[in-house]
Amino acid sequence: MQDSKKQILFQKQARIIQAIGHPLRLEIIDFLKNGEQCVCDIAEQIGAERSNVSRHLSVMVSAGILEHRKNGLKVIYKLKCPCILNFFSCITGVLKEQANENRKLLMALQEGA
């Protein structure tokens, strides 16, 4: 791939990662893994104000992570590409590996004391 095309790809990937890089947004995505939901249900589930949730949803829609539709007065959101959940599984794997390394380090420190 040409360098300029790679750079564009990396920029787009970074935009998506930035769009999910907030704990509340991660919680929204986790909630939406079970299917589409309205803003009111999302806000209730995560314990946040609707206006705050709406701002976070807007960021993720702009990044192409979520899509939405109107259903009467309600706005319904869903994951545009559910494979993003695989990314979460990978992150969890990294965290487990870090925890394992930390346990090994702690054990080594205890043995040396």
Side-chain angles (χ1 to χ4, degrees), residues 40-94:
C40 54
D41 291 337
I42 296 169
E44 183 180 327
Q45 174 68 27
I46 64 174
E49 295 292 324
R50 283 188 199 183
S51 60
N52 190 24
V53 170
S54 291
R55 283 192 298 276
H56 287 288
L57 290 167
S58 177
V59 168
M60 291 189 287
V61 167
S62 293
I65 297 163
L66 304 179
E67 58 187 4
H68 66 291
R69 64 180 173 83
K70 290 275 262 182
N71 184 7
L73 296 175
K74 293 182 177 183
V75 181
I76 310 295
Y77 289 85
K78 72 176 186 176
L79 295 174
K80 190 170 188 176
C81 192
C83 68
I84 197 159
L85 298 170
N86 297 336
F87 183 64
F88 289 1
S89 295
C90 181
I91 293 169
T92 300
V94 170

Side-chain angles (χ1 to χ4, degrees), residues 31-47:
F31 183 56
L32 292 175
K33 73 182 176 191
N34 298 319
E36 60 184 22
Q37 299 288 336
C38 71
V39 176
C40 54
D41 291 337
I42 296 169
E44 183 180 327
Q45 174 68 27
I46 64 174

